[in-house]
Amino acid sequence: MNSEARLRTEVERAARSLGAPESFVPVLERPRDTAHGDWATNAAMALAKPLRRKPLDIARDLLAAMNPGAAGVAESSIAGPGFINFRLDAGHLASTIATVLAEGAAYGRSNGGSGRAVNIEFVSANPTGPLHVGHGRQAALGDAISSLLAHAGWNVTREFYYNDGGGQIERLCDSVFRRAVGEPLAEDHYHGDYVAEVAAAYLDAFAGRESVAVDAARERLRAGWEADGQLRDDVRRFAVGYLRREQDTDLKAFGVRFDVYYLESSLYTEGRVDDTLAQLAKAGHAFEQDGALWLRTTDFGDDKDRVMRRSAEKGGEPTYFVPDVAYHVTKWQRGFARAIDVQGADHHSTVTRVRAGLQALEMGIPVGYPEYVLHQMVTVVRGGEEMKISKRAGSYVTVRDLVDEVGRDAVRYFFLMRKGESQLVFDVDLARSQSEENPVYYIQMAHARLSGIFRVGEMDPASITGEGLSWDVLSQPEERELIKALVDWPALLAGATDALEPHRVANWLHDTAGLVHLWYHKHHVLGEPDAIMQARLALAKAARIVLANGLDVLGISAPERM
RNA sequence: GCGCGAGUAGCUCAGCUGGAUAGAGCGUCGGCCUCCGGAGCCGAAGGUCGUGGGUUCGAAUCCCGCCUCGCGCACCA
C-alpha cells in the first residue's frame, strides 16, 4: 500500500468514528501551495452538512481520532475553512523510489483492461493523396491512446480503415489519366504535384510492361481509355497502391504502425453491406418513403432519419451509412469489447447515426459503442501567416512537410500537448527556430542529464537497486517535490487513460522535467557523502525511469545524450 | 435556424472532473556559467477566467440565458 492509500484509510477510519455515513469517501489532493504540505483533505468540510457541525470542529476531532504515524505523517494542521493538511516524513515519501526501481518500465502500468480486446481506429485516410496535418494530429492521438490502453492492460489493435472505391477514387483515376496524357485538369480533379508523379510512374510501368517507349505508352493509354475498362482498373489499382505505400512511408517516418488495414470494398465483396441492410430492414425501425428505404434513427436520438437504400431513380444503391454500420458490426463480431474511433470533428454528425444503426440491429451491442475521440482542426502558421499550400499536395500541408521540417519527436509532442477538443495552431517557426527552447527538448534534456550522472560517475544504472538505503536523507524541498511527481505518475496515467486524454501525460512530463532540472541545478549527486549520494542516485534513476515511461506512452524517444 | 466544440496573461494553451493567493511555454525586462550538460536556473511585469444570472461553506470548473469564433447539418463519401 502506498502512502496515499494509507493516509486515505486513516482519514476514512477517523471519519467513521465521528459518525460519517457509509457512503462517505474523503478526497485527498495535492495542495496547490507546497507550503501547505504533501496532501490535503476536505473531509471536515464535506462532513459539515451530514454531521451538522462546524467544519473546523470536525477537523479538530478528525485529527484527534487519527493515528498519524501509521500513515507516515510527520505534521498535520488545520487551515482555511477546514482543510486538513498533512506533511509526510521523508522516509515514507521517498520509499516510493524503491517501488519505481523494482518495477522499472512497468511502473505506472495497471490491469484494468485485463487482456480484453480494444480496437482503435485512426487516420483512416482515403488513398487519394498524401496525409495532411489533420491526419498527423490523428496519428499522434490514436497512437498515444493505443499506448495508454496498452499500459492499462488492454489488448490493443490499431486499425486503419479506408475507402478504396467510390467517387473520390474515380476522380483520382481520372486525374492521373489526364496528367499522364497531358490533358488539362478540371476543377474537381486532384491538383497536387504528386498526381504527376503517380502518372509518370504509371507510364513507366506501363511502357515497361508493353515493351514500348514512354511516348508510345502515352498514346496507347489515350487511345484505349474510353473503350478499355481493364485499362482504367489498371490505373486505379496502380494509383491506389502508389499512394497507400506513400502514406505508409510517411506514417512509418512518424513512428506509427497499424495492425489491421480494413478495406471498405471488402464489406461489399463479402456481402456484409447487403446482410446489414437486410437485417436493418427487418429489425423494426425501417420504413419506405419516396421510393427509398429509411432507418428511423430518430428512435435512437438522431435529429433526422437516414436513408439506407436510395430510390430507384437515384440508382437504388445503399448509402454510405450502411457500410459504416456494417463495418462497426465487424468490430463487435471480431470480439472487441471496446471500439474507439479517432476522427476529425467534421465527422461528428456520424456519431449518433452509427450508434443508432448498431442499436437498431438489436444484437446486444452496448449503447455507447463505438466511443469517439473527436479532435478539432489544425491550422499551420509560418511567418505569422496561415499556410494552406504545399507543393506536393497542392491545397494542404502534409505530415511529411512537418516531420521533415521540425522532426518526428517535436511534431508528436506538439500534436499531443493540447487537448483534442481544442483547435490547434501549429507554428512552424516556433517549433523549428526555437527548437532549443522547445518543450520536447526540455523533457528529453532532463532525461539525458539524469543519464549523464551515471555516465560521468562511470556507474551502471543497473547496479542501483535502492536496497539498504536510508531514504530520510532525501529531505530537500526540491527532492520532495520531485518524489511526489513520481508518486503521482500511476494515478495520472490512469486518469489520462480513463479520459482518453494523452495531453495530460504531455503536460505532466513537462512539469516533472522542470522539477528534475531544478533539483539537478540545486543539488549534486556525485561526490556527496556516500549515504546521500546513494540515495540521490536512486532518485535520479527513478526519475529517469518515469520520464522514459511517460515519453514511451507518447511515442517520443528518451535519449541518453543529446 | 439546429447540433457539436471552443472562448483563461501580448501569443499558443494547461487547470487533476467543485477547493486555499488561477498556472506553463513563447515573447518583454533584469540577474546566474572554476561545480554530475547554461538545450539549464532565479526574479519582474502581464488576468473583470467572453458576458449576465443561478446552485453552495466554496465556481474557470456544475445549471440557464446571451455574445463571438470553428466545424457539421444530402437519396456525396
Side-chain angles (χ1 to χ4, degrees), chain A residues 230-294:
Chain A
Q230 294 286 334
L231 208 46
R232 189 184 182 88
D233 287 345
D234 194 45
V235 169
R236 184 192 301 113
R237 206 165 23 241
F238 184 91
V240 166
Y242 187 100
L243 292 170
R244 283 282 318 116
R245 274 194 304 280
E246 178 173 328
Q247 291 183 350
D248 280 348
T249 305
D250 287 1
L251 287 167
K252 208 168 177 184
F254 199 45
V256 177
R257 283 218 324 271
F258 287 89
D259 304 300
V260 175
Y261 289 87
Y262 205 102
L263 278 68
E264 187 187 19
S265 61
S266 71
L267 294 168
Y268 291 91
T269 57
E270 291 171 9
R272 294 181 183 280
V273 173
D274 289 340
D275 287 353
T276 301
L277 188 57
Q279 285 170 34
L280 285 170
K282 72 178 179 197
H285 299 275
F287 64 97
E288 295 221 21
Q289 187 181 304
D290 305 329
L293 182 65
W294 297 66

Side-chain angles (χ1 to χ4, degrees), chain A residues 128-132 172 179 185 190-199 201 239 242-250 387-402 404:
Chain A
T128 55
L131 301 172
H132 57 66
L172 172 73
R179 283 283 204 169
L185 296 174
Y190 292 94
H191 290 260
D193 285 359
Y194 69 92
V195 179
E197 289 170 27
V198 175
Y242 187 100
L243 292 170
R244 283 282 318 116
R245 274 194 304 280
E246 178 173 328
Q247 291 183 350
D248 280 348
T249 305
D250 287 1
M387 256 173 87
K388 284 190 166 163
I389 326 175
S390 85
K391 199 156 177 323
R392 248 182 90 52
S395 58
Y396 57 89
V397 180
T398 67
V399 174
R400 172 67 68 83
D401 293 335
L402 290 182
D404 285 351

Side-chain angles (χ1 to χ4, degrees), chain A residues 319-442:
Chain A
T319 61
Y320 75 100
F321 165 74
V322 182
D324 257 8
V325 173
Y327 172 50
H328 285 89
V329 168
T330 77
K331 290 184 182 177
W332 178 251
Q333 289 173 336
R334 282 183 280 157
F336 293 109
R338 291 174 74 184
I340 299 170
D341 291 6
V342 181
Q343 297 182 339
D346 52 340
H347 287 82
H348 80 254
S349 61
T350 68
V351 173
T352 312
R353 76 187 69 156
V354 166
R355 288 178 175 165
L358 294 176
Q359 290 310 303
L361 287 169
E362 294 171 354
M363 51 193 294
I365 298 176
V367 171
Y369 195 96
E371 299 162 64
Y372 285 85
V373 174
L374 300 180
H375 65 85
Q376 295 289 328
M377 300 293 116
V378 178
T379 47
V380 180
V381 172
R382 165 192 268 149
E385 304 258 321
E386 182 174 351
M387 256 173 87
K388 284 190 166 163
I389 326 175
S390 85
K391 199 156 177 323
R392 248 182 90 52
S395 58
Y396 57 89
V397 180
T398 67
V399 174
R400 172 67 68 83
D401 293 335
L402 290 182
V403 173
D404 285 351
E405 197 158 346
V406 180
R408 166 186 151 178
D409 283 344
V411 174
R412 284 184 87 117
Y413 189 83
F414 269 66
F415 278 143
L416 291 172
M417 65 196 285
R418 307 303 184 202
K419 187 171 58 180
E421 301 92 72
S422 295
Q423 288 170 50
L424 182 66
V425 174
F426 196 113
D427 187 332
V428 177
D429 299 319
L430 200 74
R432 197 174 70 144
S433 77
Q434 296 175 347
S435 64
E436 296 181 357
E437 303 279 326
N438 208 305
V440 67
Y441 295 126
Y442 183 82

Side-chain angles (χ1 to χ4, degrees), chain A residues 466-481:
Chain A
E467 281 168 27
L469 299 183
S470 52
W471 299 115
D472 50 9
V473 298
L474 297 176
S475 56
Q476 299 297 320
E478 294 80 11
E479 292 172 331
R480 297 179 62 97
E481 292 311 305

